[in-house]
Amino acid sequence: MADVRLLTGSFDAAVEIERFLAANGEAGGVASFIGRVRPGGGVEALELSHYEPLTLPGMQALAAEVEARWQVTGLLIVHRSGVMLPGEAIVLVAAAAHHRREAIEAVDFAMDHLKGDSWFWKREKRADGWHWIEPRERDFSDLARWDEKSAN
Amino acid sequence: MADVRLLTGSFDAAVEIERFLAANGEAGGVASFIGRVRPGGGVEALELSHYEPLTLPGMQALAAEVEARWQVTGLLIVHRSGVMLPGEAIVLVAAAAHHRREAIEAVDFAMDHLKGDSWFWKREKRADGWHWIEPRERDFSDLARWDEKSAN
Amino acid sequence: MPLRLVFLGRLADVAGAGEREVAAVPSIAALLAGLEPELSAALGAARIRIAVNGNVVADRAMFTLRDGDEVAFLPPVSGG
Amino acid sequence: MPLRLVFLGRLADVAGAGEREVAAVPSIAALLAGLEPELSAALGAARIRIAVNGNVVADRAMFTLRDGDEVAFLPPVSGG
């Protein structure tokens, strides 16, 4: 059963990984990805907004798809919303599995879909105020990788 | 500069990730993989032996190849040797990068090569004594994935 | 009961607020026709998805609104 | 100075120890010929790699040993 959380406050990614390792002691492999607000580039703060009736159900549906697609014995998806400062964690995905490849691909798939296909809207605060961030072409190409794999 | 360690004693993977996150604060993305001795299956202990003149230089060469191949801003490779008990960490690879895909692929590549192409010999202790573990076909196919990508 | 409108992302800037209530109308076309022209154009763009009571609408032209519905306007999500 | 032999993995079981010293000989063929037949066969298999002083030997037939060399016999590494 996946652990899916949409948080409005900050979280400690290393502590979450430690707990995940302890909670999934039977798994030989644990892969993870942590996304943080990148310092520099003139970004003073980042705000992610969500739409409650869609965002959390969307994350839960993604977790279910990951669990259907890979043999993971544990899955953790934590995503921040609200205003974040440079260096703070935005997202953590961790997957536990018997086999290395399952764990790594589960994290990779979940991250691609969280980034390119989930209901978050993001804006950055710079010296001249807040700016909405538009979709990036790379997110669509990252997502398309999985469709190609399904077609094989 | 990669941090490459060949340890004879146990290590705390979550603590290493915490330190890696702190040491690579400028990176937006940190991917990691932790491999542990899997409990169950009748395995009482696992022993990894290495040959000092080859094993550590081999790990360092792998780290250099990862850094040449992906735009990582930080790389950590920690590998145990000696006798390990179920649940103990054997290997940790972590990569920090500006871009998610670079970090995840760097970890994936490093793990495939650590598992299938590095100088460790492994034996398991079961109720009837120690048994050497032979190479697995899957390790060769995991490695071959990267040759295919290079050919593209 | 009025309709409750929710504007996500940059649409909140166009609407001047994240939410608004309007008198009930039976269709999305009628809803858009009753708004300021600039907002109506922004909400009506093809790349804007619409969710009614938490469900994304597949065919906005065919969708029938009911009193009290929550209608959310969803611009493309932001990149990574 | 003698040659120092190092046996990795299961080869240590065949040799009865992880290391051994033998009198210097000029070639790997001569080295193997001087060992017990079972050990010689195990070490001479094509899938066994040989490292001399920490460098893996590309062509064992052409390699010239020197006094005091460390010759390591490396079976295929174990799977994940």
Side-chain angles (χ1 to χ4, degrees):
Chain A
M1 188 62 191
D3 181 356
V4 178
R5 287 179 250 158
L6 179 55
L7 304 179
T8 54
S10 64
F11 70 101
D12 185 323
V15 168
E16 293 296 342
I17 289 175
E18 184 175 22
R19 289 180 187 150
F20 187 76
L21 284 167
N24 291 276
E26 82 296 340
V30 171
S32 71
F33 180 84
I34 298 158
R36 298 185 288 186
V37 183
R38 203 182 305 165
V43 176
E44 298 167 7
L46 185 70
E47 184 184 37
L48 270 108
S49 51
H50 66 275
Y51 179 52
E52 190 69 38
L54 286 177
T55 309
L56 189 57
M59 290 169 63
Q60 288 163 337
L62 172 58
E65 191 176 347
V66 170
E67 291 183 312
R69 204 154 166 161
W70 285 280
Q71 300 230 326
V72 295
T73 57
L75 179 65
L76 172 66
I77 300 179
V78 181
H79 208 298
R80 276 289 306 276
S81 65
V83 176
M84 287 158 269
L85 299 177
E88 288 192 332
I90 306 169
V91 60
L92 164 66
V93 172
H98 290 313
H99 298 292
R100 176 173 85 256
R101 183 130 312 287
E102 303 281 324
I104 292 176
E105 289 196 356
V107 168
D108 197 16
F109 178 90
M111 280 306 308
D112 278 353
H113 287 76
L114 276 171
K115 286 283 194 173
D117 195 27
S118 65
W119 298 106
F120 288 103
W121 294 271
K122 194 190 283 186
R123 56 177 189 161
E124 287 176 348
K125 189 181 183 188
R126 298 175 172 275
D128 60 346
W130 287 97
H131 300 272
W132 289 102
I133 300 173
E134 295 296 320
R136 297 187 317 169
E137 193 50 48
R138 178 151 192 182
D139 292 312
F140 295 121
S141 63
D142 284 346
L143 279 176
R145 296 187 307 136
W146 302 105
D147 294 332
E148 290 161 19
K149 290 194 183 179
S150 296
N152 285 343
Chain B
M1 187 66 190
D3 181 358
V4 178
R5 289 179 249 159
L6 180 55
L7 304 179
T8 54
S10 64
F11 69 101
D12 185 322
V15 168
E16 294 296 343
I17 289 175
E18 184 175 21
R19 288 179 188 153
F20 186 76
L21 284 167
N24 292 276
E26 83 296 340
V30 172
S32 71
F33 181 83
I34 298 158
R36 298 186 289 186
V37 184
R38 203 183 303 166
V43 176
E44 298 167 7
L46 184 71
E47 185 184 39
L48 271 114
S49 50
H50 66 275
Y51 178 52
E52 190 69 37
L54 287 178
T55 310
L56 188 57
M59 289 168 64
Q60 288 162 337
L62 172 58
E65 191 177 348
V66 170
E67 290 182 314
R69 204 156 165 159
W70 284 281
Q71 300 229 325
V72 295
T73 56
L75 180 65
L76 172 66
I77 300 179
V78 182
H79 208 299
R80 275 288 308 274
S81 66
V83 175
M84 287 158 269
L85 299 177
E88 287 191 332
I90 306 168
V91 60
L92 164 65
V93 172
H98 290 314
H99 297 293
R100 174 173 87 256
R101 182 131 314 288
E102 303 281 326
I104 292 176
E105 288 195 356
V107 168
D108 198 15
F109 178 90
M111 280 305 310
D112 278 354
H113 287 76
L114 277 171
K115 286 283 193 172
D117 196 25
S118 64
W119 299 106
F120 287 103
W121 295 271
K122 194 189 283 187
R123 57 178 189 160
E124 287 177 347
K125 189 180 183 190
R126 297 173 172 276
D128 61 346
W130 288 97
H131 299 273
W132 290 101
I133 300 175
E134 296 295 322
R136 299 185 317 168
E137 192 50 47
R138 178 149 192 186
D139 292 311
F140 296 122
S141 63
D142 283 345
L143 279 177
R145 294 187 309 133
W146 302 104
D147 295 331
E148 290 162 20
K149 288 193 186 181
S150 297
N152 285 344
Chain C
M1 280 174 68
L3 299 173
R4 179 185 162 88
L5 311 187
V6 180
F7 309 108
L8 280 303
R10 65 163 66 247
L11 296 176
D13 294 345
V14 182
E19 300 175 3
R20 181 187 296 195
E21 290 197 348
V22 298
V25 289
S27 71
I28 289 169
L31 170 59
L32 295 181
L35 301 173
E36 313 88 281
E38 189 200 357
L39 179 58
S40 179
L43 301 182
R47 66 195 209 118
I48 305 298
R49 311 282 290 275
I50 297 173
V52 177
N53 300 328
N55 293 303
V56 178
V57 168
D59 183 349
R60 68 181 67 178
M62 298 295 290
F63 197 89
T64 303
L65 295 170
R66 293 161 183 269
D67 285 7
D69 276 353
E70 177 167 299
V71 184
F73 295 90
L74 316 160
V77 295
S78 306
Chain D
M1 280 174 67
L3 299 172
R4 178 185 163 86
L5 310 187
V6 180
F7 309 108
L8 279 304
R10 63 164 67 248
L11 296 175
D13 294 345
V14 182
E19 300 175 2
R20 181 188 296 194
E21 290 196 348
V22 299
V25 289
S27 72
I28 289 169
L31 170 61
L32 295 180
L35 301 173
E36 314 88 280
E38 188 199 356
L39 179 58
S40 179
L43 300 182
R47 64 194 211 120
I48 305 297
R49 310 283 289 276
I50 296 173
V52 177
N53 300 330
N55 293 304
V56 177
V57 168
D59 183 349
R60 69 181 68 178
M62 297 296 290
F63 197 90
T64 302
L65 294 171
R66 292 162 183 267
D67 284 9
D69 276 352
E70 177 167 300
V71 184
F73 295 90
L74 316 160
V77 294
S78 306

